[in-house]
Amino acid sequence: MTALTAELVVDGRAPQSPVLAPDGRTVCYVLVPTSRVGYHLDTELWLVDVDGSGAARRVTADIATESLPRWSTDSGTLFFLSDRVERGVPQLYRLTLADGIVTGLTGWRAGITDHLPLADRNQVALLAQDEPTEEDERRARDRDDAVVVGAREPQTRLRLLNLGTGRVTTPNVFGDRHVVELRQRPDGGPLAVLTQASADNDYGPRTARLHLFDYRSGTAEDLGPVAADARSLAWWPAEDGWHLGYLALTPPGLQAGSAVFDLALDDRVLRNRTAGLSMCPTELCQTDAAALVVFADGLNTTLARLDPHKLTPLSQHRGRLDGLTATRTGAEVAALTGSRYQLTNVHFGSVAGPLRRITDTRPELAGVPLGAQQPLTYHAADGLALDGLLVLPVGKTAAEGPFPLVTIVHGGPYDRHADRCQLFWFPSGQWLATAGYAVFLPNPRGGQGHGHQFAARVAGRVGQEEWTDILTGIDLLVARGVADPDRLGIAGSSHGGFMSAWAVGQTDRFRAALVGAGVTDWGMLAATGENGQFEAALGGSTGWSGIGPHPHDAVSPISFASRIRTPVLIMHGAEDTNVPLGQAVYLHRALRHFGVEHEFVIYPREGHAIRERAHQLDVLQRTRVWFDRWLCPER
């Protein structure tokens, strides 16, 4: 029996971005290492036949970052991006399956961001920033590179590649708007194009507009603004003509559940097709007929079809279902999913389910003992139905408790703990279960999987009812004899890091806490984080909302730093732009001022997620050492 080590966790590889060939015979996917060694993440393209007739096979041999595979309409050609010529500058390539020949198609000096092979086999739509001019190159060479915010901002534009001539042209459409996403009508008609006023994450997602673009005539039509954070375009035909759908936040708030919006193009009537549902759409998948919708449904996933007058549930799947891709008819699908004790792999099958696994990218984990995982359902103090997961120490049953318990709060807050294998490079249920801990994974209000109203409940109220939701779950596990009330810990990253920092300012119940990339001051985050106004919706105000104190002060952990007595481990990436490093520095200085035991770890070159192998190993090992020190000092 193989023991679980940090190296086993971070040295794995996972499939991403599956794409099912239109003929339904083959899936291409990207195999991505969990950790990075060096400056670049080396990924690979693989193919697997869905009938199980052969093992998965790698189709490219270069050391490069390869991404975004897309099939031609006849399933004979695969287009993808690769930076094999110049690392960090992806270009478009074509793989012809009949002879296995790979051909480079672009040499765009700014690199290609995205691409879409069109029904016209001679055309590929590209998304790319402008190539540098001679003046740009001079300024870079001479370090004459002062940045004037709002001027000369890099915008991604729509381009067209003619495969016959190799020429790339840039249609004069959309002005200086940043192009986000493209989707061609299934019959080979126009492109739906989603644009934003800027690539700035704070501003751009609030300024989205939808367009139609006829690439044959070069003309475009503006369909008007769309709700914030729009994405996942899909077309479908109906009795009243063509419809165009997308996912976006439910208006008017910026902390909300996602919804499916349905725009009838003939009469321009827009409908929210998922209003009032107790689940949350996460993906739209286009077919030649009705679109498919993936729903986060509590701890699990529901797959449905968007029929003209109703939403038709098709199948249910344990845990998560991501990267859905379908045949033209939508009868068969492939997706990324796993189980409680198996990490994500590519699965294939009928849209009605079940799906069968067709890849095995982590065979080294076979036989590694994992803790028993079980779903929890309970009610909040105000009666709201809640769920979560309990992972028991490896080899133990609940009856053998009480155990030291670590509560891990998910990020977002619009995210969730799904009933899938809880083993990741960051502190996770199975990683701590292997060390003898019981782990509670709560899904408090504000998260995904229970509809819009559930998600919107934390807007301007972070740390309030969502905190008591978590406490109620902990109290339940103490009452059941699973958790030792004298050996409680709490951990989380991003919004989970906020909740961990918040918890230790509200109670002394926890013997140790971990704050990973956590929010400590909502006003500062709204001012400096890359998603500023979205964060302001959570915190309830900004620093420019007038003379304080402000609403966000009442929900910021830093305001309660004088109450903290719990030892705190702070971990943060030096280059984090989502939750900037200053948030961690602020907490560190406050804890130092009040003489609170803590450890502050900064990971150079890292952003909001830790990517480098040595740093991931440090995160895992340091986490265990920290909780062992305070919850299990006898070890």
Side-chain angles (χ1 to χ4, degrees):
M1 189 172 290
T2 304
L4 184 66
T5 64
E7 288 77 10
L8 264 178
V9 177
V10 308
D11 289 339
R13 300 191 298 172
Q16 293 182 8
S17 306
V19 281
L20 184 58
D23 63 12
R25 297 178 180 176
T26 309
V27 174
C28 179
Y29 60 95
V30 183
L31 195 57
V32 181
T34 301
S35 62
R36 185 182 74 237
V37 177
Y39 292 100
H40 302 284
L41 187 68
D42 299 325
T43 62
E44 304 166 359
L45 288 189
W46 286 67
L47 292 176
V48 59
D49 296 326
V50 301
D51 63 5
S53 59
R57 56 199 184 277
R58 185 178 175 184
V59 295
T60 54
D62 293 86
I63 296 176
T65 301
E66 297 173 333
S67 64
L68 299 180
R70 307 268 195 268
W71 291 97
S72 61
T73 55
D74 65 0
S75 302
T77 304
L78 190 68
F79 297 87
F80 63 96
L81 300 185
S82 174
D83 65 356
R84 62 185 63 185
V85 172
E86 182 181 356
R87 297 310 303 266
V89 184
Q91 303 293 345
L92 183 67
Y93 287 80
R94 174 178 60 199
L95 167 66
T96 306
L97 264 62
D99 54 20
I101 294 176
V102 174
T103 307
L105 300 175
T106 62
W108 195 259
R109 287 181 295 153
I112 306 300
T113 304
D114 202 350
H115 65 102
L116 180 66
L118 302 181
D120 179 347
R121 297 186 195 176
N122 200 43
Q123 297 277 347
V124 178
L126 306 175
L127 296 185
Q129 294 181 3
D130 292 339
E131 291 187 291
T133 64
E134 290 184 5
E135 175 64 10
D136 293 332
E137 292 174 341
R138 182 203 65 76
R139 294 178 74 237
R141 184 174 58 251
D142 296 345
R143 293 181 177 265
D144 179 21
D145 53 0
V147 175
V148 179
V149 176
R152 299 169 57 86
E153 285 189 354
Q155 307 283 34
T156 297
R157 304 186 194 277
L158 171 64
R159 328 270 178 181
L160 293 174
L161 168 64
N162 185 303
L163 294 174
T165 65
R167 184 184 175 205
V168 176
T169 57
T170 303
N172 185 22
V173 289
F174 315 131
D176 283 332
R177 292 183 66 80
H178 173 69
V179 181
V180 178
E181 188 177 337
L182 310 170
R183 187 75 66 223
Q184 187 172 24
R185 206 168 69 187
D187 66 349
L191 304 182
V193 183
L194 187 64
T195 71
Q196 298 175 172
S198 168
D200 182 338
N201 285 343
D202 169 57
Y203 178 58
R206 298 182 281 128
T207 64
R209 300 184 74 87
L210 196 55
H211 314 259
L212 296 182
F213 174 64
D214 186 333
Y215 66 95
R216 295 181 176 90
S217 66
T219 59
E221 179 182 0
D222 189 341
L223 298 177
V226 295
D229 200 28
R231 62 201 184 280
S232 199
L233 298 172
W235 292 85
W236 62 90
E239 294 177 356
D240 59 347
W242 284 100
H243 286 237
L244 185 55
Y246 56 90
L247 302 185
L249 296 183
T250 304
L254 295 180
Q255 167 58 30
S258 291
V260 175
F261 291 93
D262 173 355
L263 176 63
L265 292 178
D266 283 358
D267 58 17
R268 301 300 166 87
V269 171
L270 180 68
R271 292 188 292 160
N272 178 346
R273 295 291 302 276
T274 53
L277 292 184
S278 60
M279 46 187 189
C280 298
T282 61
E283 296 180 23
L284 277 177
C285 180
Q286 179 171 299
T287 73
D288 284 354
L292 303 177
V293 191
V294 179
F295 284 96
D297 187 0
L299 295 167
N300 300 305
T301 298
T302 292
L303 182 56
R305 187 175 60 237
L306 200 64
D307 288 324
H309 304 292
K310 63 177 181 177
L311 192 72
T312 305
L314 300 172
S315 54
Q316 292 188 315
H317 307 266
R318 175 174 288 176
R320 291 181 64 112
L321 195 72
D322 298 299
L324 185 71
T325 174
T327 55
R328 287 194 184 99
T329 64
E332 294 175 309
V333 297
L336 300 173
T337 189
S339 69
R340 286 179 182 168
Y341 307 109
Q342 290 185 333
L343 289 174
T344 297
N345 268 288
V346 181
H347 287 64
F348 171 83
S350 164
V351 71
L355 304 182
R356 58 181 173 82
R357 192 181 70 181
I358 59 174
T359 65
D360 183 9
T361 60
R362 296 301 305 272
E364 67 274 18
L365 292 178
V368 172
L370 298 176
Q373 179 172 307
Q374 51 191 252
L376 293 175
T377 58
Y378 60 102
H379 287 85
D382 60 2
L384 184 67
L386 300 170
D387 59 38
L389 296 170
L390 172 65
V391 181
L392 293 168
V394 173
K396 302 293 185 179
T397 66
E400 296 176 78
F403 308 105
L405 177 80
V406 177
T407 297
I408 301 179
V409 187
H410 65 67
Y414 194 58
D415 199 352
R416 62 172 175 152
H417 290 301
D419 194 6
R420 59 172 173 163
C421 185
Q422 297 292 326
L423 181 62
F424 313 105
W425 63 263
F426 47 86
S428 56
Q430 293 294 352
W431 175 245
L432 290 172
T434 302
Y437 294 93
V439 182
F440 175 43
L441 304 166
N443 285 323
R445 69 192 72 197
Q448 188 182 66
H450 296 280
H452 164 61
Q453 293 299 329
F454 186 91
R457 287 172 185 262
V458 299
R461 296 189 55 78
V462 286
Q464 304 302 299
E465 290 87 356
E466 64 173 325
W467 165 231
T468 58
D469 291 349
I470 294 168
L471 276 182
T472 299
I474 294 172
D475 290 340
L476 175 67
L477 294 175
V478 170
R480 290 182 178 178
V482 174
D484 183 342
D486 296 321
R487 292 191 293 171
L488 299 177
I490 190 165
S493 295
S494 194
H495 191 82
F498 154 71
M499 287 304 307
S500 187
W502 177 261
V504 295
Q506 306 302 310
T507 180
D508 293 336
R509 291 182 65 180
F510 298 103
R511 293 272 298 274
L514 185 159
V515 178
V519 181
T520 58
D521 187 293
W522 287 100
M524 189 166 72
L525 186 63
T528 62
E530 65 183 26
N531 303 297
Q533 290 304 298
F534 294 86
E535 310 294 4
L538 288 166
S541 60
T542 62
W544 55 81
S545 300
I547 298 174
H550 300 104
H552 67 253
D553 293 323
V555 293
S556 292
I558 203 66
S559 299
F560 301 88
S562 64
R563 300 181 182 179
I564 298 176
R565 301 293 182 268
T566 302
V568 180
L569 171 60
I570 308 169
M571 299 191 291
H572 216 108
E575 307 299 326
D576 192 344
T577 56
N578 187 320
V579 179
L581 178 62
Q583 297 279 326
V585 173
Y586 203 174
L587 181 60
H588 156 65
R589 290 182 177 178
L591 296 180
R592 183 173 61 188
H593 176 79
F594 290 112
V596 179
E597 182 88 31
H598 72 288
E599 187 174 291
F600 182 22
V601 185
I602 301 172
Y603 295 102
R605 302 173 301 281
E606 300 285 12
H608 197 53
I610 306 302
R611 299 301 185 194
E612 294 186 20
R613 181 179 186 273
H615 292 162
Q616 289 185 352
L617 288 171
D618 184 85
V619 167
L620 291 173
Q621 293 160 349
R622 190 177 299 275
T623 297
R624 273 198 191 169
V625 169
W626 183 255
F627 283 119
D628 284 352
R629 176 183 174 187
W630 299 105
L631 272 62
C632 302
E634 68 278 3
R635 291 181 184 173

